[in-house]
Amino acid sequence: MTRTAIVTGGSRGIGASISVALKKAGYNVAANYAGNDEAAAKFSHETGIPVYKWSVGDYDACAAGLSKVEADLGPIDILVNNAGITRDSMFHKMTREQWNEVINTNLNGVFNMTHPLWSGMRDRRFGRVITISSINGQKGQAGQANYSASKAGDIGFTKALAQEGARAGITVNVICPGYIATDMVMAVPEKVREGIIAQIPVGRLGEPDEIARCVLFLASDEAGFITGSTITANGGQYLA
Ligand code: CAA
């Protein structure tokens, strides 16, 4: 049986690697994206993966978008909540907008995507919900009170929902990447970034494919006994 997966923020960065890895492994894949039409069109052209535009921060848009994907590709078995943003600022300078935008995308977005799919997964007695959190949801990071709160929330969400999904054949897991070589990390001032790399025992940033491999592992039918778990992939930077 060919299973169907959707990856939010699936046309760039870690999400693009996840989408491509799932496709290569034989899944039907849809990639959601919110903003960058040009990058999404290029990604779709190069990979053959259909792209769907909506904001994960908007519940109604998620419900409508997911219905469209299911009409096109069939019921969604695997949800990868990957979409995430940063609005880094020391807390004394952080605005309410910076707080709300990050919570709305990184935490509310996970609710908005999972909730419309949950009943169908329960009815079909199979589901995989895989959320991409962050090392900074585990350890906290100065300049990221908003982001760290949202990513820690993703971990709590996973642990709670795993207990609800278990008897319905749905596993719910979270992956905490460390610093991965993506646009998000490259946006950190170079000096700060160099300081971060110095704290990574492996001695380098991670690669998006190294996170995609974790997703493939959790997505498989054979991973049914793994639920509520946190996979840490951070080059040894933080030992949770
Ligand atoms: N701990 C404590 N204090 C710190 C600090 C730290 N790690 N870093 C900076 N400070 C202090 C500075 O010493 C300074 O103090 P004084 O004013 O008393 O001198 C003050 O905070 C301001 O520091 P900056 O000059 O750096 O302030 P800024 O306003 O120019 O920049 C910032 C602030 C935007 C948060 C910048 O420091 C920054 O980008 N930091 C990196 C944050 C980070 O790691 N983000 C990760 C992005 S990648 C990602 O999120 C993906 C993932 O999941 C891993």
Side-chain angles (χ1 to χ4, degrees):
M1 182 205 308
T2 304
R3 296 208 180 274
T4 297
I6 182 158
V7 183
T8 67
S11 65
R12 293 203 302 136
I14 293 174
S17 285
I18 294 170
S19 299
V20 169
L22 285 167
K23 184 172 183 206
K24 275 194 192 149
Y27 295 91
N28 283 330
V29 183
N32 150 270
Y33 75 103
N36 194 331
D37 292 316
E38 205 181 313
K42 185 166 179 280
F43 170 83
S44 190
H45 180 71
E46 286 172 2
T47 62
I49 294 171
V51 290
Y52 295 83
K53 183 177 185 178
W54 73 82
S55 165
V56 297
D58 178 338
Y59 186 92
D60 292 335
C62 289
L66 288 166
S67 293
K68 167 97 175 86
V69 173
E70 292 200 318
D72 291 350
L73 303 182
I76 294 170
D77 306 298
I78 298 154
L79 165 63
V80 184
N81 287 310
N82 165 77
I85 61 169
T86 54
R87 296 288 182 269
D88 291 358
S89 166
M90 298 309 276
F91 190 65
H92 63 280
K93 291 188 205 160
M94 188 174 287
T95 63
R96 286 170 66 182
E97 285 71 28
Q98 287 173 319
W99 174 267
N100 287 333
E101 279 180 64
V102 169
I103 297 294
N104 197 45
T105 299
N106 300 5
L107 183 55
N108 293 344
V110 169
F111 173 84
N112 296 341
M113 286 295 294
T114 310
H115 195 254
L117 292 177
W118 192 247
S119 296
M121 288 181 177
R122 277 165 53 91
D123 291 348
R124 293 188 300 276
R125 314 294 294 173
F126 183 89
R128 297 280 182 263
V129 178
I130 302 164
T131 298
I132 308 300
S133 174
S134 166
I135 183 176
N136 292 341
Q138 296 174 298
K139 73 171 182 60
Q141 171 62 47
Q144 290 198 306
N146 49 4
Y147 185 87
S148 297
S150 70
K151 294 296 188 176
D154 291 339
I155 297 170
F157 168 85
T158 295
K159 290 181 177 178
L161 199 59
Q163 296 175 42
E164 295 190 24
R167 289 191 187 181
I170 307 168
T171 68
V172 188
N173 292 288
V174 63
I175 298 169
C176 288
Y179 284 75
I180 308 299
T182 61
D183 291 348
M184 185 184 273
V185 168
M186 293 310 169
V188 173
E190 196 178 345
K191 223 170 156 199
V192 178
R193 199 168 60 243
E194 280 167 11
I196 290 166
I197 294 172
Q199 294 164 24
I200 304 175
V202 167
R204 61 172 175 83
L205 296 174
E207 291 299 327
D209 281 351
E210 294 177 302
I211 304 307
R213 254 176 244 130
C214 299
V215 172
L216 279 187
F217 172 66
L218 292 171
S220 68
D221 280 27
E222 292 74 18
F225 203 58
I226 303 167
T227 195
S229 74
T230 304
I231 294 192
T232 294
N234 64 25
Q237 187 183 348
Y238 179 73
L239 306 178

